[in-house]
Amino acid sequence: MAGADTADTGTAPDSAARVRELQARLNHHSALYYAGKPEIPDGDFDSLLSELKTLEDRHPELVHPDSPTQRVGAPPDTAFAPVRHEPPMMSLHNALDIEELRAWHERVHRALPTLEAPGVGDFSVELKFDGLAISVRYENGVLVRAATRGDGRTGEDVTHSVRTIADIPIRLRGDAPAVLEVRGEVILRLSTFVALNARQAERGEKAYVNPRNAAAGSLRQKDARVTAERGLSFWCYQLGYAEGAPAFSSHMQTLEWLRSLGLPVNEHSARLPDLAAVEAHVTDFERRRHEFDYEFDGLVVKVDDLGLQDRLGVDAKAPRWAVAYKFPPEERTTKLLDIE
């Protein structure tokens, strides 16, 4: 198959068509590979990639931002440029136990008496990943910029690193809006973290303390090739801004739409009808937290109705319509009394 795919007539129209065909095929097979469902052998993939690189070198005007050749090996940035977040990437207020979760629920009820009405009281509940929050901007379906949260209003431009994360599509599927900015979390899976520290040991280099620190350090590499070696992952959890998007009435609808565009949304996101169901859900996941190949330190509970979110608004730090239910910490500071 690879041999049949490497012919090029040399004319500009044919070269342009072949480049776009190769870019689309390689992006398709790359996504299947990282999903654990490869359709072609690695050798065939490498042959197609080599052909694409040759054509792009010959016709630089045909290099497109969503080309698989742009994922790895981009020249390192000399500094991280500032990126302004609109709207700001806010923090969340915490609930450290069930009683504090109930107190948040009471505040929502006082602010919105209509929440008790049938069909209005749904909550969305998502895992609170222990990673690094980022925003990713697409224009006409193509990734153009990514930034860390920073102080919530201004983050660091890490586009060169984010392009290497296989979970994040360079080009969206389907009917993408003119502008789409999404928020999510960059993480390092536990199995990948173990493998990374094994490589660090082989090289005589210092091991990373935990997956979150490793993810943050990997994303802030100046050389995207270093980031690409780390095997970062990503979960999308919020629509930040869009131009030309469909109208939505609930947060869960936005997540389903983002998933349809090819963005990774965690399968454990759920819409629940009342606080009793939310409490049972967070208790269940607190018990099961070590069954997964990634770390999460709690769950985020949100009022699902977007109209009610607007009515609740935000305070100086966080939205009033959401709260982070935090699991008890598993590491604590203690005092060494004696050594025998």
Side-chain angles (χ1 to χ4, degrees):
M1 179 179 66
D5 282 333
T6 55
D8 174 44
T9 64
T11 63
D14 289 343
S15 294
R18 180 61 176 163
V19 164
R20 291 303 294 155
E21 177 192 355
L22 288 168
Q23 289 169 346
R25 291 186 59 190
L26 286 163
N27 281 331
H28 168 74
H29 288 300
S30 179
L32 291 175
Y33 173 81
Y34 285 105
K37 302 174 183 178
E39 289 182 346
I40 62 174
D42 289 350
D44 289 352
F45 183 94
D46 292 341
S47 294
L48 294 172
L49 188 61
S50 177
E51 181 194 355
L52 176 60
K53 183 68 168 64
T54 299
L55 284 171
E56 289 182 346
D57 287 344
R58 191 182 303 158
H59 304 285
E61 71 278 7
L62 299 180
V63 178
H64 198 268
D66 71 340
S67 173
T69 64
Q70 303 303 298
R71 281 191 180 272
V72 183
D77 286 358
T78 57
F80 296 114
V83 174
R84 185 78 171 172
H85 295 305
E86 293 293 348
M89 294 183 69
M90 304 194 77
S91 182
L92 290 171
H93 292 302
N94 293 331
L96 301 181
D97 54 35
I98 291 295
E99 289 305 316
E100 291 189 3
L101 177 63
R102 292 171 180 170
W104 168 79
H105 184 258
E106 280 297 317
R107 291 194 297 273
V108 169
H109 268 270
R110 287 197 300 269
L112 291 172
T114 55
L115 195 61
E116 297 176 350
V120 184
D122 289 344
F123 296 91
S124 62
V125 185
E126 303 159 64
L127 303 185
K128 183 180 180 298
F129 304 106
D130 196 11
L132 189 72
I134 65 168
S135 72
V136 185
R137 181 182 175 94
Y138 292 85
E139 294 180 2
N140 297 316
V142 177
L143 191 157
V144 295
R145 191 178 68 204
T148 63
R149 184 174 70 175
D151 64 4
R153 294 189 176 275
T154 304
E156 303 163 322
D157 191 323
V158 288
T159 309
H160 66 293
S161 292
V162 165
R163 286 184 179 278
T164 72
I165 301 176
D167 292 345
I168 300 178
I170 298 295
R171 175 178 285 275
L172 298 175
R173 294 199 304 250
D175 188 16
V179 178
L180 173 66
E181 188 258 325
V182 297
R183 279 90 190 268
E185 197 89 358
V186 171
I187 66 165
L188 196 65
R189 293 179 181 272
L190 294 173
S191 55
T192 308
F193 175 69
V194 170
L196 172 60
N197 269 347
R199 290 199 302 271
Q200 293 290 103
E202 289 174 1
R203 297 169 179 173
E205 298 176 358
K206 184 178 179 180
Y208 287 96
V209 175
N210 56 55
R212 190 201 180 282
N213 287 353
S218 300
L219 193 67
R220 289 191 171 97
Q221 292 290 323
K222 298 293 184 64
D223 188 342
R225 291 169 294 188
V226 177
T227 308
E229 291 179 350
R230 303 292 173 82
L232 296 174
S233 297
F234 175 76
W235 293 114
C236 178
Y237 57 66
Q238 190 81 34
L239 171 61
Y241 172 78
E243 292 179 9
F248 301 106
S249 62
S250 80
H251 172 68
M252 289 299 292
Q253 285 179 347
T254 68
L255 293 185
E256 290 301 321
W257 178 65
L258 293 174
R259 181 185 281 119
S260 74
L261 295 176
L263 288 157
V265 176
N266 188 267
E267 67 272 22
H268 298 294
S269 301
R271 180 160 53 194
L272 302 173
D274 52 38
L275 182 63
V278 171
E279 290 183 15
H281 192 76
V282 298
T283 300
D284 179 49
F285 275 88
E286 184 173 353
R287 176 182 58 82
R288 299 170 52 203
R289 64 186 296 189
H290 297 299
E291 297 178 7
F292 302 88
D293 191 31
Y294 45 81
E295 291 188 334
F296 55 98
D297 57 0
L299 290 96
V300 178
V301 183
K302 303 174 183 176
V303 174
D304 189 54
D305 187 289
L306 298 181
L308 296 181
Q309 287 187 11
D310 287 340
R311 287 175 57 189
L312 285 163
V314 302
D315 59 26
K317 176 185 176 183
R320 297 187 181 94
W321 43 263
V323 69
Y325 176 85
K326 298 290 292 293
F327 297 148
E330 295 187 302
E331 294 182 4
R332 296 182 183 272
T333 301
T334 187
K335 181 179 180 181
L336 177 63
L337 298 178
D338 196 8
I339 298 177
E340 296 182 359

